[in-house]
Amino acid sequence: MFGLANPDTFARVTRPLIAPLWVIAAGLLITGAVWAFRVPEDALQGDTVRILFIHVPAASLGLAVYGALGLSCLFYLIFRHSLADAAARAAVLPGAAYTGLALITGALWGQPMWGTWWVWDARLTSMLVLFLLYIAYAVLRGAFDDEGRAARAASVLGLVGLINLPIVKFSVDWWNTLHQPASLLRAGGTSLDPAYLWPLLIMMAAYFALFLAIWLTTLHTEIMRRRVLAMRARQAREDRHV
Amino acid sequence: MDIESRSQHGVRPMITLSLKDLAVRRGDRTLFEGLDLDVAPGEAVSLTGANGAGKSSLLRVVAGLLAPVAGAVRFEEGGQALEPAEARARHLHLLGHQDGFRSGRTAADELAFQVGWCGGTVEAMEAAVRRLALGALLPLEVRRLSAGQRRRLALARLLAAPRPVWLLDEPLSPLDSHWRAEVGQILQAHLEGGGMVLAAVHDPLPIPARTCPVGGAA
Amino acid sequence: MDIESRSQHGVRPMITLSLKDLAVRRGDRTLFEGLDLDVAPGEAVSLTGANGAGKSSLLRVVAGLLAPVAGAVRFEEGGQALEPAEARARHLHLLGHQDGFRSGRTAADELAFQVGWCGGTVEAMEAAVRRLALGALLPLEVRRLSAGQRRRLALARLLAAPRPVWLLDEPLSPLDSHWRAEVGQILQAHLEGGGMVLAAVHDPLPIPARTCPVGGAA
Amino acid sequence: MNGAGLLLRREMALAWNGGGGPLLACGFLLSLAVIVPLGAGPQLDQLANLAPGLVWLALSLASLLTLERLFERDFEDGTLDLLAMGPLADEAVVGVKVLAHWLTIGLPLALMTLPVGISLGLAPDQLPLLAVTAALGALAFSFTGGLGAALAIGARKGGLLIAVIVLPLFLPPVIFGAGALVAQADGRSPGPALALLAACVLVAGVVGVLAGAAGLRGSRT
Amino acid sequence: MNGAGLLLRREMALAWNGGGGPLLACGFLLSLAVIVPLGAGPQLDQLANLAPGLVWLALSLASLLTLERLFERDFEDGTLDLLAMGPLADEAVVGVKVLAHWLTIGLPLALMTLPVGISLGLAPDQLPLLAVTAALGALAFSFTGGLGAALAIGARKGGLLIAVIVLPLFLPPVIFGAGALVAQADGRSPGPALALLAACVLVAGVVGVLAGAAGLRGSRT
Ligand code: HEM
Ligand SMILES: Nc1ncnc2c1ncn2[C@@H]1O[C@H](COP(=O)(O)OP(=O)(O)OP(=O)(O)O)[C@@H](O)[C@H]1O
Ligand SMILES: Nc1ncnc2c1ncn2[C@@H]1O[C@H](COP(=O)(O)OP(=O)(O)OP(=O)(O)O)[C@@H](O)[C@H]1O
Ligand SMILES: [Mg+2]
Ligand SMILES: [Mg+2]
C-alpha cells in the first residue's frame, strides 16, 4: 500500500489502468443511458423519473469524491507527501462537476415534483455547501505562489470540509425535508424497484469509472510535469557547475 | 551581581544553543547547507554574509518561525533539551526589521503590550524606558518616531522582558554613535548575565563576538 | 561623458539647491533653526546628527513634503528659480525608509511603476536592473526580498529615471560591503554627471562629501 | 495581566481605534433598517416575511466585511512573529483574536439587528429570539471568519479569498438562525433550529480554532 | 505610457489582485439578488416596489465598503510620497484613483445591478435606465468616497471618520437614482431625477477632487 506513495511506483502500477478505465466508463455510460431510456414511466412521476439516472449517481459520486479529496488532504497533512496533495487537487474538477450536476438536475426535478426549484432545507443547503467547498478548496489552492504553503492551507480547508459529508448524507434522516429519504443504501436493504435498480447501478458504476479515469489521468500528468521540472532543475545545476 | 538579584531583573536560565548541519531553502533556492554553530551562555556571534545570503532567514529558523529543510536547532538548559515551542515562548527574543509596532498607536501602548506579552513587569519596563531615554517619546504615535528612536523602542522590549537568547537583525544600523555605544553596553551586560546574542550584521558589533559566515553570494 | 550622451541617460539640467535660514518643527518641538546650506551641481552633502535630530525631516522639507516653519528651500536652474512643485515633480528623488513598495506585488511590477511614474524609460530600467543585479529578483514578491535586495530595488528607480537631486535617507545601511562600494560608484557617477546628493547618514558615505550637522541632541 | 487578557485588550483597542470597523459595520446594518422600509412604502407588513432572511444576510455580510484584516496587518508588520514568541499557543491566539472580533463587531451587530428587525416589521415578541440567535450566529461567523482569514494569510486576493472560503461555512448558521425566527413566526417551536445553531457555533469554535492555528503555522515561511 | 495611465493601471491591478474588492462587492450585490426573492417566496410581484430602493441601497453600501483603504495603504508604505514626486498634481492623483475605483468597482457593480433588478422583479423596460443611473451613481459614490478617504488619511478611527463624512453625501444620489426608477415605473418622466443625479455626479466630481487633493496635502506632515 505505502509502496504506492512513491510517485514512480504509483505511475508504473496505475499506468496500464488508465486506458481501460476510459473504455469501461464510456461503455457503462452508453449502456446505462440506453437502458435508462427504456425503463417504463413511473406511475407518479411520469417521464421525469429518468432524471433519477443522472441525479442520483451524480449526487453519490459528488459526495464520494469529496471523501477522497478530504482523505487525501488528511494524508498530506500527516505525511507531507506531495502525491497526496496532487490527488486532492485532481479530485476537484470531477467532484465539483458531479456535485454541480446533482444540484442542477435536482433543481430541474424539483420544479415538477415539489413545485419549486429550490428550498433552503438541510439536504439541498448542505449539497450547495459541498459545491462551494470544492470551489473554495480550488481557489485557496491556487492563491499562493509558494507551493508548500498553498498545499498546507488548502489541505486544512479540505479536511474541515469533511464535516459536511455526514450532514449531506444523513440530512434526510435527521431533519424532515422535501427530499426523498435514502432508498438505495440504507439499513434493511434497498427499497427500489429492480426495473430502476439495475440501470441505476450501471450508471453509478459508469460515473465511478469516469471519475477514476479522470483522476488517474490528471495525476499522471502531474507526476510527469514534476519529473520535467526536476530534470530541468538538475540540468540547470549541472550547467552552473561546468 | 549576585544570583538573588539576577533572578529578579537579570537572565537566569543558562541556555545553550546548537545548530547542527542546518540547511535552509527559500522558494526553490537553497540558501545554505551544513551550517553548524554552538553558542554557550555569555557568547555573542555575528552572522555575516552578502545580501540575500540568508542571515535573516537563519535567525527566523533559530526562532522557530521557519522550518529548515535539514538539520536541527537545539536548545539545552542544564544539559537537558528544551522543547522548541517552549524555548520560543520563554527564552528567545527576535528583533527583526518588522518590529510588530502598529504605526497608528502610541509608543506607550505598543511597548506595554510587547513587554507584557513577553512576560516583562511594569517596573522592568520603566527601567528600560529610562535606560533607553524613551520617556519623552512614549506619548507619540509610533509612525512619528525617527528610525533610531523606533529601534530603541523595539530594544526596550528585550530589556524589560529578560530572556537569555537575543536574535538581532542589524540591530545597530539606524542608531547614532552615542546609542551604538550604549546598546553595545547593553549587549555586554546581557552577555555577562549569561545571555547569548546572535546578530546579523554588516558592520562589526561593538562587543567581542565570534563571526559566523552565512551562505554564498546572492 | 559628452553632453549628447548625458542627455540620453545622464543628468542634464544643472540645478542648484539652497536652504536659507530653515527652521523645522514637529509636534511642539522645534528640531532645528537657522539652517543654511548651498549645494552646487556635483556636490554631495552628508547630513549628520543624533537620532531624532531631524535629518529625515530635513530631507522631507527639501522634497517639499513637509513645510518649514521659517526659511525657504530654493531650486535654481541656470540662475532662475524653479517652482517648488515643478522641482519636486521633475528634478528630485527621495529615497526614504518607506520605499513605496507594496509588499504583495512582484518586484518587477513595482519597479516598472516607480520608474514609469518618475519618467524613466524601459531601456534605462533594464540598464538599472543589470547594474544592480536585480534580474533574478524581479519575479519575487517584494516582501520576499532581503533587506539589502529591497534597498537595491529602490535604488534602481534613481538610476532608471535620471533626476539631478538625490535625497537619500541612510541609503547604505542594509547593503553588504560589495554593494556599498558599488553604490558608492553609482553616487560618484551621479555627481560627475552634475547631480547632487543629500544623504542622511550615521556612517560616512564612501564618496567625498561635505558634512552638514543637523539639530541638537534628541 | 496575563497574555490572553493583554491580547484581547489590544485587539479591542485596535478594532475601535484602527479601522472604525465596528461602527462601519453597524452603520451598514442600520442603513438597511432605514432604507428598505422607505423603499417598501405601504406594504410594510409583507416585508415581515423577508425580515429574517434579510437580517441574517446583512449580519453575515457585515461580519465578513470586517474579517479581511484579522491577521493580514499583523502578518505584514511582524506582529504575528511577536505573537508566536509569547505565552499563548497558536490556538489560543486565534481564539482570543476571534473573541475580540465577536466582542467588538459581533455583539454590536447583534444589538443592531433589533432596530433593523423592528423597522422591517418583525413582530415585537420575536425580538428576544432575534437578539439571541444573532449573538450566537455572529460568534459562529467570527470563528469561521477567523479560520478563513488565517488560511488566507499572505495570499493573493486576500479579501476575496476569505469570502470564498467562508461563504459555504456561513450558510448553515444563516439557515438555522433565520429558520428559528420563521418557525417562531409560524407558531412552531424555534427550539430545534436554535439547537442546530448552537451546534454550528460549537463546531465552528472547535474547527475554527484548530484550523486557524494551522493557518497561522502555515504562514510562517 | 504617461503618468495617469500608469497610475490607473497600477490601481486597477491592485484592486483586482490585492483585496479582491470588486468581486467581493459584486458577490455582495448578487447574493442580494439570490436571497431576497427566495425569502419573499410567492409575493415576488410586490417586491418590485422595493426593487429601486434595495438596489440603490446595496449599490451605495458596496461602494462604501471598498473605499476605506483608498489612500491609507499608500500613506503607510510611502507610496503617497512617491506619488507627490511624479508628473501629476494632487488633484489629478485623486481623480485617477477615484476613476480606477469606479472602473474596477463602480462599473462592475452597475452591471451587477441588472441581474439584481431582474430577480427583484423590476420591469425589463426599466433595466436600461437602471444601468445608466447605477453607473452614474457609482461614479458619484466613488468621488465622495475618495474625498472621505483622503480627508481621513492618517487620522485615528479612519474608517469611521470616512463613513461619517461620506454617508450624508451618499444620500442625494440614492434618492435621485431610485427616484428616476420610481418615476419611470409610475409612468412619469425620469428626466428631472436623472438631471439631478447628473448634477450630483458633477458636484461630487468637482468637490471630491478638490477636497481630496486638500486631504492629500494635509497628510504631508
Ligand atoms: C437541487 C435539489 C437536489 C439536491 C441538491 C439533491 C441532492 C441529493 C443527494 C445529495 C442525494 C444523496 C445521494 C447519496 O446518498 O448517495 C440525492 C439522492 C436522491 N435524490 Fe436528490 N437532490 C435534489 C433534488 C431531488 C428531487 C427533486 C428529487 C425527486 C423528487 C430527488 C430524488 C432523489 C432520489 C430518488 C435520490 C436517491 C435516494 C437514495 O436512494 O438514496 N432529488 N439527492
Ligand atoms: N519565496 C521565495 N522564493 C524565492 N526566494 C526567496 C523567497 N523568500 C525569500 N527568498 C530569498 O531568500 C533570500 C533570503 O534572504 P535573507 O533575508 O535571509 O537574507 P539576508 O542574509 O538577511 O540579506 P540582507 O543582508 O540583505 O538582509 C533572499 O535571496 C530572498 O530573495
Ligand atoms: N507629530 C509629532 N509630534 C512630536 N514630535 C514629532 C512629531 N513627528 C515627529 N516628531 C519628532 O521629530 C523628530 C523627527 O526626527 P527625524 O525622523 O527627522 O530624525 P532623524 O534625524 O532622521 O533621526 P534618525 O537618525 O533616528 O533617523 C523625532 O524626534 C520625532 O520624535
Ligand atoms: Mg536580512
Ligand atoms: Mg531618520
Side-chain angles (χ1 to χ4, degrees), chain A residues 179-205:
Chain A
H179 194 278
Q180 182 105 0
S183 47
L184 200 62
L185 250 185
R186 61 166 195 178
T190 179
S191 65
L192 205 69
D193 187 328
Y196 298 111
L197 183 61
W198 280 109
L200 182 59
L201 286 180
I202 288 178
M203 285 302 270
M204 286 266 193

Side-chain angles (χ1 to χ4, degrees), chain D residues 115-149:
Chain D
V116 178
I118 294 172
S119 83
L120 294 186
L122 219 59
D125 58 347
Q126 292 219 276
L127 294 183
L129 185 64
L130 176 59
V132 172
T133 52
L136 275 176
L139 187 54
F141 295 151
S142 293
F143 274 122
T144 32
L147 180 165

Side-chain angles (χ1 to χ4, degrees), chain C residues 26 60 63 65-66 88-89 92-94 98-102 105 110 112-114 116-118 157 163, chain E residues 3-4 6-7 10 13-14 73-74 76-79 81-88 90 93 220-221:
Chain C
R26 298 232 71 179
R60 290 181 72 78
L65 298 175
L66 187 64
R88 185 171 74 206
L92 293 186
H93 272 305
L94 172 66
Q98 274 157 330
D99 46 24
F101 292 127
R102 198 57 59 98
R105 296 186 85 208
E110 286 297 276
F113 170 71
Q114 291 202 348
W117 182 254
C118 294
R157 177 182 89 218
R163 293 179 169 199
Chain E
L6 266 172
L7 183 58
R10 173 184 153 97
L14 279 173
R73 290 288 292 274
D74 288 342
E76 284 180 358
D77 70 9
T79 306
D81 294 343
L82 183 78
L83 292 182
M85 312 200 60
L88 298 193
D90 290 329
V93 168
R220 290 187 201 122
T221 50

